Amino acid sequence: MSYWISLVDAEPPHDEIWEGVHCSWNYSNIMDHLPCGWARDWQGKQAKDMIKPIWASMAFLTSDPKDFRKFEVDHEKGLGTVEVCNSILKECFDGFSKCPEGIIRID
């Protein structure tokens, strides 16, 4: 299963304010072992509340990626890799930093 992570305005009618990024379940194993937790659990949180956990998670993945390789789904096929997970987190960090008052929507 895959998800689309985006941001909506906190005020009704909750218009989309950041288009977002795609994230599949392949990254749940890695993310469950990071400060940010699995992206599916971000639903309804305010973007500013996830900026620090995402930053810390990127630091973990960058400082010692081999510690997280055991959680990859299939490195050879590029499924659930540390590098792509870090890329997803970077996109979320950038989007959430630009729209900190936004509400996270997971579709």
Side-chain angles (χ1 to χ4, degrees):
M1 181 167 241
S2 62
Y3 304 98
W4 191 258
I5 303 167
S6 63
L7 292 176
V8 296
D9 192 9
E11 300 298 320
H14 306 294
D15 294 326
E16 187 172 79
I17 57 175
W18 177 63
E19 187 176 297
V21 64
H22 174 262
C23 182
S24 77
W25 65 270
N26 291 325
Y27 302 98
S28 63
N29 290 335
I30 295 173
M31 294 174 89
D32 276 340
H33 293 88
L34 293 170
C36 65
W38 173 221
R40 184 73 180 112
D41 297 331
W42 302 353
Q43 172 70 29
K45 293 184 177 184
Q46 198 163 27
K48 67 181 176 183
D49 295 333
M50 290 306 300
I51 292 172
K52 286 183 182 179
I54 289 172
W55 180 261
S57 297
M58 291 188 311
F60 277 117
L61 290 178
T62 303
S63 67
D64 207 355
K66 65 182 178 275
D67 283 348
F68 294 93
R69 297 246 184 259
K70 62 186 169 198
F71 303 118
E72 292 181 330
V73 173
D74 189 337
H75 187 80
E76 296 299 317
K77 292 182 181 178
L79 299 174
T81 65
V82 168
E83 291 77 16
V84 176
C85 184
N86 201 36
S87 175
I88 292 167
L89 291 174
K90 172 78 169 96
E91 286 188 57
C92 288
F93 178 82
D94 291 344
F96 293 4
S97 295
K98 289 177 186 173
C99 306
E101 300 303 318
I103 302 298
I104 300 169
R105 179 174 61 190
I106 309 293
D107 289 325

